[in-house]
């Protein structure tokens, strides 16, 4: 399973990524604090199945296309 999780705040995205990771589901948070390079790395990790879920806040919105999921 791979998914994007849409969160209401940076704290929410970081909390969700930590909760999923603690439950054994590799996850990351991508927010306005995340550099463009880190964002691309997170997308690549999702594509390669290194992680299963990306939680974001106003980063991946309408028009964002990730056919891998």
């Amino acid at each position: 399973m791979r998914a994007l999780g849409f969160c209401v705040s940076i704290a929410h995205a970081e909390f969700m990524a930590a909760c999923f990771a603690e439950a054994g589901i590799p996850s990351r948070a991508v927010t306005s604090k995340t550099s463009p390079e880190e964002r691309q790395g997170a997308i690549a990790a999702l594509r390669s199945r290194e992680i299963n879920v990306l939680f974001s806040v106003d980063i991946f919105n309408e028009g964002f296309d990730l056919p891998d999921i």
Side-chain angles (χ1 to χ4, degrees):
M1 178 269 312
R2 288 180 287 174
L4 293 176
F6 299 97
C7 298
V8 298
S9 68
I10 291 172
H12 182 220
E14 292 171 346
F15 172 81
M16 292 302 295
C19 284
F20 272 59
E22 186 175 312
I25 303 168
S27 306
R28 285 193 200 166
V30 178
T31 71
S32 59
K33 293 181 179 179
T34 311
S35 72
E37 295 80 17
E38 289 175 301
R39 290 179 196 168
Q40 290 305 314
I43 292 168
L46 185 64
R47 281 190 175 120
S48 69
R49 297 180 185 265
E50 179 184 328
I51 62 171
N52 294 91
V53 185
L54 279 180
F55 291 99
S56 70
V57 181
D58 294 331
I59 300 293
F60 305 126
N61 294 322
E62 185 177 334
F64 178 75
D65 187 28
L66 189 60
D68 302 307
I69 61 167

